[in-house]
Amino acid sequence: MALVNTKEMFKKAYDGGYAVGAFNVNNMEIVQGITEACMEQKSPVILQVSKGARSYANHTYLIKLVEAAVQECPEIPIALHLDHGDSFELCKSCIDGGFTSVMIDASSKPFEENIALTRKVVEYAHDHGVVVEAELGTLAGIEDEVNVSEEESSYTQASDVQEFVERTGCDSLAIAIGTSHGAFKFKPGTDPKLRFDILEDVASRLPGFPIVLHGSSSVPQEFVKMVNDFGGNMPGAIGIPEEQLRRAAQMAVCKINIDSDIRLAMTGNIRKYFAEHPDHFDPRQYLKPARQAVKDMVAHKIVNVLGSNNKI
Ligand code: G3H
Ligand code: 13P
Ligand code: ZN
């Protein structure tokens, strides 16, 4: 199967009460870990690339890695998505360069500016068979080089979504209902709760329309412990409880973004490997368990959080 866009994926996910995982990719081991898990679980997948990933690994290398995954995993639908595109030029470059989906994240701009920029990207993307994710509302935490303080974070106003989607023509919408980027989403001792009332309100105003959740890592405590036990220092790292994401996936949420859990799985395992094998220096040795940990973590998400197994 060639790379696909997310139209068909989202329709099936919406109707089937599950979500498709969107995992950030930055290197070969991450691409392999994710796609091997998806192949074994017979799950569609979105591989997403941030501006930072593109400047770290280079557009061509990432495209070729994803093309290799498509060739190695011919049975599963794979979409290649730009995560948090912050300008028309970046979106255009990814559309021209082979991506099947882009996000224009103008959520920090005033409503009318968000609409105008999103509309411009949609027009170009649709002319090229590419779909567009937009965002309304602001997540707390770090959004690809933009640090949004918790105080400024604001939930999506459900009353805005219909006008926004109609005027922009976007294909999916990321909303803010209490998720946030990074590994420190909630203060220790607080009770993490997503705003399902907002999600329900949004869904009722946009029947059948795919909703996206960013900042949806669960920050598994086994990895946090592994990092801290083997020389790291990440006290109080807390994510979104998996049951809440599962519930969202059964509702209008069709795409769930996960990046921090990949970082934690790799970092925890690499730290452990170095601690246990201080004399080893072959990257293949320490990247192997890290890649396996990404694969196991993604398989767990597919079955227990997304519900996207056996959906191809
Ligand atoms: O939401 C942001 C993603 O986790 C990507 O992070 O900009 O460090 O690649 P990055
Ligand atoms: P996490 O930091 O929760 O993994 O969120 C990733 C994300 O939203 C990428 O766009
Ligand atoms: Zn994000």
Side-chain angles (χ1 to χ4, degrees):
M1 196 181 293
L3 276 180
V4 297
N5 72 30
T6 54
K7 248 192 167 24
E8 175 82 9
M9 265 186 203
F10 286 167
K11 187 172 173 6
K12 285 167 94 173
Y14 198 101
D15 295 345
Y18 63 92
V20 179
F23 301 97
N24 287 68
V25 296
N26 291 282
N27 65 20
M28 182 187 76
E29 286 75 14
I30 295 175
V31 172
Q32 289 176 328
I34 296 165
T35 53
E36 283 173 19
C38 293
M39 195 159 64
E40 285 182 14
Q41 296 301 330
K42 301 190 186 327
S43 169
V45 68
I46 298 164
L47 299 177
Q48 56 185 14
V49 167
S50 69
K51 184 178 175 182
R54 219 160 159 257
S55 58
Y56 168 75
N58 164 309
H59 179 94
T60 311
Y61 280 93
L62 289 168
I63 282 274
K64 295 298 170 191
L65 285 173
V66 171
E67 280 174 8
V70 169
Q71 201 173 322
E72 290 293 319
C73 311
E75 303 93 19
I76 58 168
I78 300 179
L80 176 55
H81 174 77
L82 168 65
D83 189 28
H84 292 286
D86 60 358
S87 66
F88 174 78
E89 291 69 28
L90 176 57
C91 292
K92 180 179 183 301
S93 166
C94 289
I95 293 164
D96 295 346
F99 283 45
T100 57
S101 171
V102 293
M103 175 189 195
I104 176 67
D105 180 0
S107 60
S108 60
K109 296 186 190 305
F111 189 65
E112 286 298 328
E113 282 181 44
N114 188 350
I115 289 183
L117 180 52
T118 302
R119 177 75 215 156
K120 186 174 173 191
V121 172
V122 166
E123 278 169 9
Y124 189 80
H126 286 183
D127 278 350
H128 294 78
V130 170
V131 291
V132 178
E133 174 186 324
E135 180 168 329
L136 255 189
T138 313
L139 273 70
I142 295 165
E143 293 205 6
D144 203 9
E145 297 170 6
V146 184
N147 202 329
V148 186
S149 76
E150 274 205 50
E151 288 71 34
E152 283 168 37
S153 79
S154 60
Y155 295 117
T156 302
Q157 301 293 314
S159 53
D160 288 342
V161 296
Q162 214 174 353
E163 180 186 353
F164 184 84
V165 168
E166 274 169 19
R167 288 179 59 197
T168 60
C170 66
D171 302 279
S172 62
L173 183 68
I175 61 168
I177 58 165
T179 62
S180 66
H181 291 105
F184 299 88
K185 300 185 191 297
F186 301 100
K187 300 217 162 43
T190 54
D191 189 15
K193 275 205 172 66
L194 297 186
R195 291 285 304 274
F196 286 100
D197 57 324
I198 300 178
L199 176 56
E200 270 167 11
D201 197 355
V202 167
S204 72
R205 292 164 191 265
L206 295 172
F209 192 81
I211 300 303
V212 177
L213 285 189
H214 281 250
S216 295
S217 278
S218 295
V219 187
Q221 292 303 299
E222 60 174 298
F223 297 140
V224 176
K225 183 171 182 329
M226 208 181 266
V227 167
N228 290 332
D229 282 353
F230 294 105
N233 184 26
M234 297 184 68
I238 297 175
I240 313 290
E242 288 189 343
E243 322 76 70
Q244 295 196 32
L245 294 167
R246 182 78 200 99
R247 187 174 157 200
Q250 286 160 340
M251 300 167 67
V253 171
C254 294
K255 173 174 181 273
I256 290 187
N257 284 12
I258 295 170
D259 185 14
S260 296
D261 287 354
I262 294 174
R263 299 176 183 203
L264 280 166
M266 293 201 87
T267 303
N269 278 277
I270 290 171
R271 282 192 175 281
K272 179 168 185 280
Y273 190 91
F274 282 143
E276 291 173 350
H277 306 89
D279 55 327
H280 286 190
F281 66 99
D282 181 341
R284 293 172 298 186
Q285 290 177 315
Y286 59 82
L287 288 173
K288 202 168 169 183
R291 177 176 59 190
Q292 183 65 42
V294 170
K295 179 175 174 181
D296 294 345
M297 185 276 291
V298 169
H300 169 85
K301 298 277 180 195
I302 289 171
V303 174
N304 297 289
V305 176
L306 303 160
S308 63
N309 46 315
N310 300 314
K311 298 293 193 302
I312 60 168

